[in-house]
């Protein structure tokens, strides 16, 4: 029996839902509301001491960390394999998936500078302070405060856009030569980035690849065409959140383009 603790728009939970969908596995979901703090419930924190989703429970085995969960699923359920069978191919998958944490951090930056910032600004000063005081890690607290204060102009955003620029440059170079990131077959490497790019898309920031990286654009379209995309990502994002991402993203188009151009320039130097 597979149980996934997840959240509707969580990008890392979506990565695991993609793997479950691609492998056509049956699973039970426990949906957490991250905005009201379900992740801090002591019973949940016994499963995942980091107070984040996703967490997978497979019979009596508890697995945390989305990248590790995906690899676990592919090993525990070898049918519809999502990794090549040869060591060289698997090394390619790992080279991509080990970058997911950096991209996760960057997506968290952009979501905080846009949607979370808008939500925080609608709150009273006291409620905003209470939210920031509730972040246990001082580095995350500092980042949250700066992004809520200055949004897209923060250096955290430039750092995030630099991570995206580096990723798209590398993806483009590989996708010129083969159909998918790790080989000619779809794999955990592709799954690892799809929900992150989709977050940028709903924030109206897909110009980052559409205007400069044709192979990444084609990869993203082919990935979205797979039935797993709708099952694992599209159908989980509530309409009001799609609308909210668009409303905050639209007016930020120019500053996003400007930051991305600076990031690309930086990498060419
Ligand atoms: N490295 C972890 C990251 C987990 C993570 O940050 N999850 C986010 C959602 S994508 C979360 O639960 N956030 C809740 C919070 O920060 O309070 C993984 O890949 O599983």
């Amino acid at each position: 029996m597979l149980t996934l603790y997840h959240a509707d728009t969580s990008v890392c939970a979506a990565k695991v839902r993609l793997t479950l969908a691609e492998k056509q596995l049956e699973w039970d979901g426990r949906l957490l509301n991250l905005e009201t703090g379900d992740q801090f419930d002591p019973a949940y924190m016994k499963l995942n001491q980091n107070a984040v989703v996703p967490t997978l429970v497979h019979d009596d085995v508890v697995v945390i960390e989305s990248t590790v969960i995906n690899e676990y699923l592919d090993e525990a359920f070898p049918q519809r394999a999502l990794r090549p069978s040869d060591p060289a191919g698997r090394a390619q998958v790992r080279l991509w998936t080990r970058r997911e944490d950096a991209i996760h951090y960057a997506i968290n930056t952009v979501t905080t500078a846009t949607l979370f910032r808008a939500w925080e600004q609608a709150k009273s000063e006291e409620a905003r302070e209470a939210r920031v005081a509730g972040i246990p890690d001082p580095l995350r607290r500092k980042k949250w405060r700066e992004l809520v204060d200055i949004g897209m102009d923060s250096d955290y955003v430039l750092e995030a856009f630099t991570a995206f620029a580096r990723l798209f440059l590398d993806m483009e170079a590989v996708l010129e030569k083969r159909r998918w990131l790790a080989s000619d077959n779809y794999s955990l490497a592709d799954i690892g980035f799809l929900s992150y790019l989709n977050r940028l898309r709903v924030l109206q920031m897909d110009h980052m690849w559409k205007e400069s990286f044709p192979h990444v654009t084609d990869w993203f379209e082919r990935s979205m065409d797979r039935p797993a995309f709708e099952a694992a990502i599209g159908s989980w994002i509530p309409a009001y959140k799609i609308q909210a991402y668009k409303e905050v993203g639209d007016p930020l188009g120019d500053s996003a383009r400007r930051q991305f151009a600076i990031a690309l320039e930086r990498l060419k130097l």
Side-chain angles (χ1 to χ4, degrees), residues 14 45 52 76 81 98 126 151 216 234 242:
M45 286 183 67
V52 290
R98 74 196 289 275
E126 292 74 28
V216 178
I242 292 281

Side-chain angles (χ1 to χ4, degrees), residues 45-114:
M45 286 183 67
K46 279 196 185 138
L47 295 174
N48 188 325
Q49 63 176 3
N50 301 329
V52 290
V53 291
T55 300
L56 180 81
V57 181
H58 176 209
D59 299 331
D60 53 357
V61 178
V62 178
V63 193
I64 63 169
E65 288 294 326
S66 55
T67 310
V68 178
I69 296 173
N70 277 353
E71 203 167 314
Y72 173 86
L73 284 170
D74 205 43
E75 284 181 352
F77 301 92
Q79 71 273 21
R80 297 176 201 277
L82 288 167
R83 290 168 306 161
S85 52
D86 61 307
R90 289 193 175 200
Q92 284 302 315
V93 173
R94 284 201 196 93
L95 279 171
W96 286 109
T97 58
R98 74 196 289 275
R99 295 174 71 161
E100 286 172 26
D101 283 347
I103 297 303
H104 178 89
Y105 184 84
I107 282 289
N108 170 275
T109 300
V110 174
T111 311
T112 308
T114 54

Side-chain angles (χ1 to χ4, degrees), residues 184-201:
D184 281 330
N185 295 318
Y186 192 74
S187 77
L188 293 182
D190 305 286
I191 286 181
F193 298 110
L194 185 52
S195 64
Y196 297 122
L197 267 70
N198 189 59
R199 171 63 53 79
L200 294 173
R201 178 183 73 92

Side-chain angles (χ1 to χ4, degrees), residues 10-12 34 39-40 52-54 65-66 101 104 140:
S10 152
V11 272
C12 31
L34 301 180
Q39 67 274 36
F40 301 112
V52 290
V53 291
E65 288 294 326
S66 55
D101 283 347
H104 178 89
R140 279 174 68 186

